[in-house]
């Protein structure tokens, strides 16, 4: 049985595209939700933060020259769309999910209220935190670190398109090698860009470990929660 009780899963927005150029690929989102269901069936409480790269990068051309904060609010709204799609797919797959937004948008989703989120988790519902931190100049990685710390998650699981943290971006440097573990200090000092430095620093300060792994590899989420050697552990 897994040792974990509560996790914060950060899902890559870009991975939702599957092989499409942008947007949400149906088969991909269904597969991700099925992987989440496997974990909830183990009795683990799951909170999710999803990125917005699949939508926001698709419209980013239109944001050139825009005020940065306005563009960031567009990015946050993109994560609301992904969160709604994710929760609806969960409903179709028999999972009860609640979306909570960091920005006021009450006609669409309920606002983030920490005690309510904790209540949902205790009831076995999956909570999807939408709109990142609610503030421009941040990312959904930082939102995952923030919400993970707030809800007392034991670990942040960053499910992304690469299978761990490398010595350099493996998409740009084919000679890069993967760490099986690395400290926060080393990741920050080496400026490894798999997560932003704010997220690394927040997790370090809160002693909240992060595991980076590939969501493109079927079954990887379950293997991670079962403690198998998957991806890279970032630790204090
Ligand atoms: N040292 C590194 N090790 C691993 N990946 C790295 C490294 N440096 C940069 N990267 C890049 O970081 C990316 C993952 O982070 P990124 O924030 O871009 O994606 P994401 O969070 O999965 O997507 P989204 O922002 O859409 O949610 C990888 O796809 C990889 O190309
Ligand atoms: O707290 C936050 C979270 C996100 N943003 C903006 O949204 C996009 C999409 O998020 P990703 O983490 O890149 O997937 C991001 O680029 C920001 O523009 C934000 O402003 N604040």
């Amino acid at each position: 049985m897994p040792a974990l009780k509560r996790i914060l899963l950060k899902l890559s927005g870009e991975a939702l595209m599957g092989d499409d150029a942008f947007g949400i690929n149906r088969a991909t989102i269904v597969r991700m939700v099925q992987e989440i269901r496997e974990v909830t069936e183990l009795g683990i409480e799951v909170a999710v933060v999803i990125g917005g790269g699949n939508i926001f990068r698709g419209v980013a051309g239109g944001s050139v020259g825009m005020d940065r904060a306005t563009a960031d609010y567009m990015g946050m709204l993109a994560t609301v769309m992904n969160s709604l799609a994710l929760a609806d797919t969960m409903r179709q797959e028999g999972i009860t999910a609640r979306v909570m937004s960091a920005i006021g948008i009450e006609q669409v989703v309920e606002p983030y209220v920490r005690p309510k989120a904790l209540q949902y988790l205790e009831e076995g519902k999956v909570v999807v935190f939408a709109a990142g931190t609610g503030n421009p100049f941040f990312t959904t990685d930082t939102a995952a670190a923030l919400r993970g710390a707030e809800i007392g998650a034991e670990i942040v699981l960053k499910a992304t398109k690469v299978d761990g943290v490398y010595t350099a971006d493996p998409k740009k440097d084919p000679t890069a090698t993967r760490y099986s573990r690395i400290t926060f200090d080393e990741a920050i000092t080496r400026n490894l860009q798999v997560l932003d430095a704010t997220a690394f620093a927040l997790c370090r300060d809160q002693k909240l470990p992060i595991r980076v792994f590939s969501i493109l590899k079927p079954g990887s989420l379950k293997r991670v929660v079962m403690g198998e050697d998957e991806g890279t552990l970032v630790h204090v």
Side-chain angles (χ1 to χ4, degrees):
M1 284 303 282
L4 297 168
K5 214 181 142 329
R6 182 175 289 171
I7 60 170
L8 188 303
L9 175 65
K10 160 71 206 315
L11 279 179
S12 163
E14 273 197 18
L16 270 189
M17 299 189 300
D19 292 329
D20 300 341
F22 66 89
I24 300 169
N25 177 275
R26 186 75 208 148
T28 305
I29 196 169
V30 169
R31 189 181 59 74
M32 284 184 188
V33 165
Q34 287 169 345
E35 296 223 2
I36 292 172
R37 190 176 55 204
E38 282 187 342
V39 167
T40 59
E41 284 168 356
L42 295 169
I44 298 172
E45 294 171 9
V46 180
V48 181
V49 169
I50 185 152
N54 56 318
I55 296 171
F56 189 57
R57 273 156 221 155
V59 297
S63 70
V64 173
M66 274 181 70
D67 172 57
R68 164 74 193 266
T70 304
D72 280 347
Y73 281 112
M74 288 171 65
M76 284 183 260
L77 291 174
T79 74
V80 176
M81 288 197 246
N82 280 340
S83 300
L84 288 171
L86 193 65
D88 193 69
T89 308
M90 287 186 193
R91 180 186 58 76
Q92 290 174 33
E93 293 292 318
I95 302 173
T96 309
R98 294 286 182 268
V99 182
M100 304 186 107
S101 173
I103 52 180
I105 181 170
E106 278 83 352
Q107 283 85 354
V108 185
V109 284
E110 65 180 291
Y112 171 65
V113 177
R114 180 172 172 267
K116 192 85 188 162
L118 293 173
Q119 182 196 319
Y120 287 150
L121 289 169
E122 282 156 14
E123 290 167 356
K125 298 184 174 85
V126 173
V127 181
V128 184
F129 296 122
T133 64
N135 299 292
F137 309 108
F138 288 96
T139 66
T140 51
D141 283 340
T142 301
L146 175 68
R147 297 290 184 241
E150 279 190 85
I151 64 167
E154 290 150 288
I155 192 162
V156 170
L157 302 179
K158 172 159 167 139
T160 185
K161 294 153 291 178
V162 289
D163 64 351
V165 182
Y166 282 74
T167 48
D169 185 345
K171 294 205 168 142
K172 295 183 185 151
D173 181 352
T175 66
T177 54
R178 184 169 62 85
Y179 298 96
S180 65
R181 319 166 50 97
I182 184 170
T183 63
F184 286 110
D185 284 339
E186 199 177 347
I188 292 167
T189 309
R190 290 179 180 271
N191 196 25
L192 301 177
Q193 312 245 320
V194 63
L195 268 87
D196 60 272
T198 313
F200 273 137
L202 183 51
C203 284
R204 179 191 60 189
D205 295 350
Q206 297 308 315
K207 301 185 173 47
L208 176 59
I210 305 172
R211 187 170 282 277
V212 179
F213 68 102
S214 171
I215 190 64
L216 306 179
K217 220 165 133 184
S220 55
L221 177 59
K222 188 169 179 188
R223 281 197 296 279
V224 165
V225 301
M226 293 304 288
E228 291 177 31
D229 186 22
E230 192 75 45
T232 300
L233 180 70
V234 191
H235 60 98
V236 181

